[in-house]
Amino acid sequence: MARSARDCLLTCLENLSEGELRRFKAKLNEVPVRRGNANIPRGKLQKAETLDLTNMMVSFYTEKYAVQLTAKVLKAINCKDRAEELLIATGNRPQLRNSSNVHFIERHREALIQRTTPVEPVLDKLFGSVLSDEQYQKITAKETNPDKMRELYRLVPSWDLRCKNKLYEALKAKNPHLVNDLEGR
């Protein structure tokens, strides 16, 4: 069953740390909202738990705009990964997933294994945030680029959406022509 934008918004807010949630509430009251909408009063925001906050945002802004505004505020408080996850979960970033909800890196596995060259710059972008030192060493020890990519893909089934998005971003940054070619299919 597909999750509603409200459910995705609630999950996103529930996954924020206490500090992130405080910063989110403070910034939410400061950002300009679209014409015809008003900011949620500061007093109501400060007292609101995540469920109440979600309900307030949807009632003040509608589900769709609440998601857009949440992503904007998350980016402003340097929670860009959370913003991307929310946009993807609500269908606002279709380039990473297709209609069957298969992520770009899973959909183009074979082509990425065969065509990613060189692999090391991609691995360098993943090192520390996605790949441990041991994983990095194991992958770079392989002799050919396809073998390195196959070794990297052995990790993908255990990855969450954030990790898959980081691989997509690394591939896009280091091999933009390949990603653009595959996205054009």
Side-chain angles (χ1 to χ4, degrees):
M1 184 171 97
R3 296 177 61 215
S4 70
R6 180 187 299 256
D7 292 339
C8 294
L9 189 58
L10 177 60
T11 299
C12 177
L13 295 175
E14 286 176 336
N15 286 327
L16 295 176
S17 69
E18 284 184 41
E20 290 169 338
L21 187 59
R22 272 195 310 277
R23 288 195 325 268
F24 178 85
K25 290 177 184 179
K27 185 59 83 173
L28 178 61
N29 195 257
E30 296 171 4
V31 297
V33 294
R34 71 180 176 191
R35 195 176 177 142
N37 287 105
N39 285 87
I40 300 171
R42 186 178 300 278
K44 282 187 170 189
L45 276 178
Q46 297 310 317
K47 293 183 242 172
E49 297 292 326
T50 54
L51 180 60
D52 296 329
L53 180 58
T54 301
N55 290 334
M56 269 191 277
M57 290 184 69
V58 170
S59 68
F60 265 72
Y61 307 121
T62 74
E63 279 189 16
K64 184 176 180 179
Y65 184 59
V67 167
Q68 294 168 353
L69 187 59
T70 298
K72 181 178 177 181
V73 172
L74 287 170
K75 288 176 183 175
I77 65 167
N78 209 20
C79 290
K80 293 176 179 76
D81 288 345
R82 302 247 190 233
E84 287 297 312
E85 288 171 10
L86 175 62
L87 292 173
I88 291 165
T90 56
N92 289 296
R93 294 306 287 263
Q95 78 273 17
L96 294 182
R97 291 184 172 190
N98 66 8
S99 59
S100 63
N101 223 18
V102 177
H103 197 282
F104 175 89
I105 65 161
E106 294 164 317
R107 193 167 63 246
H108 298 290
R109 179 183 191 279
E110 186 177 341
L112 290 170
I113 287 172
Q114 295 304 319
R115 296 174 57 192
T116 300
T117 58
V119 175
E120 285 79 3
V122 173
L123 298 175
D124 292 343
K125 287 194 76 69
L126 299 176
F127 182 75
S129 62
V130 176
L131 297 176
S132 68
D133 184 51
E134 182 182 333
Q135 292 168 330
Y136 180 87
Q137 297 299 329
K138 187 174 182 181
I139 295 167
T140 56
K142 299 295 180 184
E143 289 192 27
T144 67
N145 285 318
D147 287 342
K148 290 173 186 176
M149 286 301 290
R150 275 189 205 91
E151 190 65 34
L152 178 62
Y153 264 96
R154 285 192 179 99
L155 302 172
V156 171
S158 67
W159 285 359
D160 62 10
L161 186 58
R162 182 191 67 82
C163 294
K164 292 174 186 177
N165 290 344
K166 288 216 180 233
L167 175 55
Y168 170 82
E169 293 300 330
L171 287 164
K172 192 168 183 174
K174 298 301 178 182
N175 210 330
H177 300 296
L178 172 58
V179 172
N180 290 338
D181 180 48
L182 294 174
E183 284 179 331
R185 290 182 176 185

